[in-house]
């Protein structure tokens, strides 16, 4: 198994049809013990129970430094180490530039960008003490193409920031064998996107995807597994596109 006896932390992983939940299930199937972090403690605990024995579900707001520190301390007390972090937590908002209020801006950037920084800061000392680790950061094709299907410009900015942050951290921590990579999903069928597309719009979007289908959460989970495992041991600072050819560059 690719992650046998590894300890993996995945943020925003309680949603049943989300990328985080699929990643948690994928990692558990490959031998990892998984700590699921989400805003809702009951949902996080339930998601962890669904994975089987040996997994942990905790409440944490990734944009809150104290909450992040407390959650990571609990994970370290429970497992003794952290080998993998998946910075998955994020929110979007389908508004245009002139409609973005400062509260909206703060909320969207805080979860995706501040959360990625705070979680990485919290786990890197443990990875450093352990001799290495892997951090996977979830960005978006919208960061690359200047807007997505649903997210506003502040979402694109947040996800572009994730790419820059991940690359800078990758360069800084590579000498300590902490690998940091990003995934840029295209349009993935999740709880967030599932109710937002009418049939006509859905078909128009699919027609623009060379592989001829929308992505699913498992597609992204498989990419995260690759980056988390030793299969990618010589990769750091990369951006892995998972978009069916929606953006080829």
């Amino acid at each position: 198994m690719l992650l046998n006896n590894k300890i993996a932390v995945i943020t925003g992983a309680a949603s049943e049809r989300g990328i985080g939940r699929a990643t948690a299930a994928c990692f558990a199937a490959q031998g990892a013990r998984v700590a699921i972090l989400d805003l809702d403690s009951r949902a996080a605990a339930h998601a962890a129970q669904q994975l089987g024995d040996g997994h942990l579900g905790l409440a944490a707001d990734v944009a809150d430094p104290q909450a992040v520190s407390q959650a990571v301390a609990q994970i370290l007390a429970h497992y003794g180490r952290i080998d993998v972090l998946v910075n998955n937590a994020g929110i979007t908002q389908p508004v245009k530039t002139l409609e973005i209020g400062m509260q909206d801006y703060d909320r969207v950037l805080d979860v995706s960008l501040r959360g990625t920084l705070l979680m990485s800061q919290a786990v890197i000392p443990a990875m450093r003490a352990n001799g290495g680790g892997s951090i996977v950061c979830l960005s978006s094709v919208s960061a690359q193409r200047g807007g997505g299907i649903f997210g506003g410009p502040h979402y694109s900015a947040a996800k572009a920031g994730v790419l820059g942050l991940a690359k800078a951290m990758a360069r800084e921590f590579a000498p300590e064998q902490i690998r940091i990579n990003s995934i840029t999903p295209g349009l993935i069928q999740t709880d967030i996107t599932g109710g937002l597309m009418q049939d006509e719009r859905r078909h128009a979007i699919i027609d623009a995807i060379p592989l001829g289908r929308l992505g699913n959460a498992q597609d992204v989970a498989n990419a995260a597994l690759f980056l988390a495992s030793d299969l990618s041991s010589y990769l750091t600072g990369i951006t892995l596109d998972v978009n069916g050819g929606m953006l080829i560059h």
Side-chain angles (χ1 to χ4, degrees), residues 1 8 13 20 37 40 70 137 139 144 154 193 233 236 243:
M1 291 188 285
L37 300 187
D40 186 331
Q70 290 175 346
C137 301
S139 180
Q144 300 165 310
H154 51 335
T193 62
S233 61
T236 196
N243 63 33

Side-chain angles (χ1 to χ4, degrees), residues 1-8 26-34 55 81 83-84 130 225 228-231:
M1 291 188 285
L2 292 174
L3 296 178
N4 199 34
N5 294 321
K6 299 289 188 182
I7 306 302
C26 180
F27 282 17
Q30 289 293 326
R33 284 170 287 173
V34 179
H55 307 288
R81 70 180 197 276
D83 302 294
V84 178
N130 228 21
L225 173 63
S229 76
D230 288 342
L231 291 177

Side-chain angles (χ1 to χ4, degrees), residues 46-113:
H46 176 71
Q49 289 170 359
Q50 295 294 103
L51 299 178
D53 295 333
H55 307 288
L56 189 64
L58 299 172
D61 178 355
V62 297
D64 180 341
Q66 185 175 357
V68 167
S69 295
Q70 290 175 346
V72 170
Q74 286 181 266
I75 294 165
L76 289 172
H78 190 79
Y79 292 119
R81 70 180 197 276
I82 294 171
D83 302 294
V84 178
L85 167 65
V86 180
N87 284 310
N88 170 72
I91 56 174
T92 188
Q93 186 185 32
V95 299
K96 296 183 179 180
T97 301
L98 298 183
E99 300 167 353
I100 299 170
M102 288 302 96
Q103 287 186 332
D104 300 326
Y105 177 89
D106 290 342
R107 190 166 59 93
V108 170
L109 268 78
D110 276 356
V111 177
S112 287
L113 188 51

